[in-house]
Structure formats: C-alpha cells, structure tokens
Amino acid sequence: MRSFVLKVLIPVFILMLPGALYGQGPARINMGFYFPSINDIADRTDIEISLTFWTKELTEEVAVTESHAFLYDTVQTMRKAFDEGEIDMIIAPPLVIAKYFDRTMLADGFVGVREEGLNNSLLLLVNKDRIDTLKDLRGKRIILPVNDELAEVFLDTLTLKTFKKSFKNIFSVAQPKIKNNRIVLDLFFDKADAAIVYQGAFDVMAELNPQILTKLKILASYPVRAKNFSYFHKDYPLRELLTQKAMSYGEFPRAKQILAVYKTPVLDYCKVEELEMFDTLYAEYLELKKQVKGN
C-alpha cells in the first residue's frame, strides 16, 4: 500500500491544494487513472478505498467544488471521458497515451521519477548461465508484466529484428504476471529463463538480495522515465499553476514529511513532446511486422 501512496496518491495531494493559493475560487479536479497500469500496486478495492480516503481528507481542508479520482478499465472509456471534459488529467502509460489520445487535447503535466535524471527503463533480464545473446532466446521461458503494451511492443521489436517472428512464436512459454518484484524473484529461482521488468523493481530486489546481480544480467533495455505519465486537458484552467506548485512541492513542511516517510519520487515536468519517442518505437514495430508479413 505504501507503494501506491508513493506512486499515485502524492500527485493526488498536489492537485488538491487550495485554490486560494493561486488567487482562484473553488475549482473542480477530476483525475482519470488507467487501472490496468496500476493494478500491480494493490487490488481494486484497496485502491478505491485509498483514493476515496485521501480525497475526502484533503477536500475537507480545501475550497473545491469537486474532487474525484476515477479508475478506467479500458482506454476507450477513459479517452471518451477525457475528450468530453469529464476528467481534467490523465495518468496512464506513455505508449497508451501516444496511441489512443488526441495529442492536440493534451497539455504538459508532470511525472514522478525515481530520482532526478534516473529512468525507470524496461529491461530484458536473463539468466547468465543460459542466455548470452538474443539468439539464445528461442525455445526459452519468459515472464512479462500483464496488461503492459509497451513491454510487449519492446519485446516484439527485439524478436522481430532477431528472428523475424513475434515473441509469441519464439518462446516456449510467455507467462504474464502482475507484480514486477515477483517476476524478478521467479527468474532468480529458475521459474523462467528471461523476463521483462522495470528498472526500479529490479534495483530494489537486487538491493535486498545482491545474489541477483551475480545470476541475472540485462540483455536489452528501453529508456522510459516512468511507467505512467500525467497530462492535463488543454482546457483545464489551473494546469500551469498546479504544475508550478508541483515543482516546488518538496519545499513545504507536510510535503517534506511525506517525502521522508514514504521516500516519494521526485516530481518533474512531463512535456507532451516526450510522447514522440513512443511514436517512433511503435512506428518501427509496425514496419517490422509489415516486413515480416511481406516475406
């Protein structure tokens, strides 16, 4: 649950700061979370309870007319709500945003990063004793995050380049799992030969068990700042002021307490232009699929 507060609820707190601080009257703050990208944090009930608790606690102290956090199971329903102005901010994986959201409707937001300048990259981890190069992956077992389109596109791009085939036709077993920490452990305990995980989870598990570094190695990686990006609706009136407030978040006493207790990620600007790298990856992926299909 602390992980959930760390990654999700702190931005909620920021967005619920009093409108009076900005010279504004009461304001609505509606946030949309893409649930498949956060369901590894806790189960749905715990997430909903946590969001409701924090929303109620914080809105009792601030002058807002509405303050809600909505969970969306599909990108289609989330996109519709955003387009129709029902939500003011979206929190979702960058590839999902790049593919399914109208870029002209987005405005810059902010993102929680592990540390300033430190990515939370996607990693292809392998057992050192069994796999040396990408060509050694044929017929092996792999675990990857469930409901993670970026992970699948990254892996497919690698196998399409190496084997001219989708990863689904290369591995003997491709097993999805919810929790990244569990994926690292399963790979370490020989329940798989390879795995796709995020850098943050790998670093945490390696710190807890340094033997992981002697047995596993990073075979390939894709740089990504965070698992989820946050963007405002372009018509949301408080977006610039709220972003400025977010950037100075650590200067406030209560914020310092939260940072100290929960080791909150650094909040940094998230430009709409950052989605372009995911456009490039996806275009490369589609071209590789086209070439393979044409052969």
Side-chain angles (χ1 to χ4, degrees), residues 104-155:
T104 64
M105 300 289 287
L106 300 176
D108 296 345
F110 49 87
V111 61
V113 296
R114 298 169 61 207
E115 293 179 22
E116 188 172 353
L118 185 62
N119 284 333
N120 192 18
S121 299
L122 269 176
L123 308 178
L124 171 57
L125 295 179
V126 297
N127 185 309
K128 288 181 179 180
D129 295 333
R130 299 176 187 173
I131 298 172
D132 186 45
T133 69
L134 289 171
K135 291 183 179 180
D136 298 327
L137 293 174
R138 189 188 294 274
K140 297 299 192 296
R141 304 162 298 163
I142 191 168
I143 306 173
L144 63 162
V146 69
N147 296 319
D148 194 321
E149 189 171 4
L150 179 59
E152 292 192 7
V153 169
F154 166 58
L155 182 57

Side-chain angles (χ1 to χ4, degrees), residues 185-198:
L185 285 177
D186 282 356
L187 179 60
F188 178 73
F189 287 112
D190 298 320
K191 294 182 179 180
D193 307 298
I196 300 289
V197 298
Y198 283 88

Side-chain angles (χ1 to χ4, degrees), residues 42-245:
D43 63 35
R44 190 184 191 99
T45 300
D46 287 342
I47 290 175
E48 289 178 334
I49 290 173
S50 298
L51 283 170
T52 300
F53 174 79
W54 276 75
T55 301
K56 181 178 179 181
E57 180 188 69
L58 294 171
T59 53
E60 285 177 351
E61 302 173 3
V62 300
V64 295
T65 55
E66 293 181 44
S67 182
H68 300 288
F70 298 99
L71 301 180
Y72 293 91
D73 293 301
T74 69
V75 66
Q76 290 79 11
T77 54
M78 188 174 178
R79 162 75 186 267
K80 184 175 184 291
F82 189 69
D83 288 350
E84 295 179 356
E86 295 175 8
I87 50 178
D88 309 307
M89 190 176 196
I90 54 171
I91 298 90
L95 181 61
V96 168
I97 298 174
K99 282 185 61 180
Y100 300 106
F101 285 80
D102 183 352
R103 207 68 55 90
T104 64
M105 300 289 287
L106 300 176
D108 296 345
F110 49 87
V111 61
V113 296
R114 298 169 61 207
E115 293 179 22
E116 188 172 353
L118 185 62
N119 284 333
N120 192 18
S121 299
L122 269 176
L123 308 178
L124 171 57
L125 295 179
V126 297
N127 185 309
K128 288 181 179 180
D129 295 333
R130 299 176 187 173
I131 298 172
D132 186 45
T133 69
L134 289 171
K135 291 183 179 180
D136 298 327
L137 293 174
R138 189 188 294 274
K140 297 299 192 296
R141 304 162 298 163
I142 191 168
I143 306 173
L144 63 162
V146 69
N147 296 319
D148 194 321
E149 189 171 4
L150 179 59
E152 292 192 7
V153 169
F154 166 58
L155 182 57
D156 238 1
T157 300
L158 293 174
T159 60
L160 285 167
K161 287 179 179 178
T162 306
F163 302 102
K164 309 299 182 186
K165 291 183 179 181
S166 168
F167 76 87
K168 296 176 183 178
N169 299 318
I170 295 300
F171 294 95
S172 61
V173 176
Q175 182 182 13
K177 287 203 171 183
I178 292 179
K179 295 186 179 296
N180 269 240
N181 291 357
R182 184 73 254 173
I183 292 175
V184 176
L185 285 177
D186 282 356
L187 179 60
F188 178 73
F189 287 112
D190 298 320
K191 294 182 179 180
D193 307 298
I196 300 289
V197 298
Y198 283 88
Q199 180 85 50
F202 177 61
D203 288 350
V204 167
M205 299 309 294
E207 184 176 348
L208 292 173
N209 181 4
Q211 289 184 340
I212 285 175
L213 295 175
T214 66
K215 186 171 182 177
L216 308 181
K217 73 173 181 178
I218 300 171
L219 191 62
S221 65
Y222 180 76
V224 57
R225 297 178 72 199
K227 188 177 179 182
N228 292 291
F229 284 15
S230 304
Y231 291 109
F232 289 104
H233 193 289
K234 69 177 182 62
D235 294 329
Y236 184 61
L238 296 181
R239 55 186 174 84
E240 292 185 5
L241 292 172
L242 288 173
T243 300
Q244 292 173 10
K245 198 67 178 180

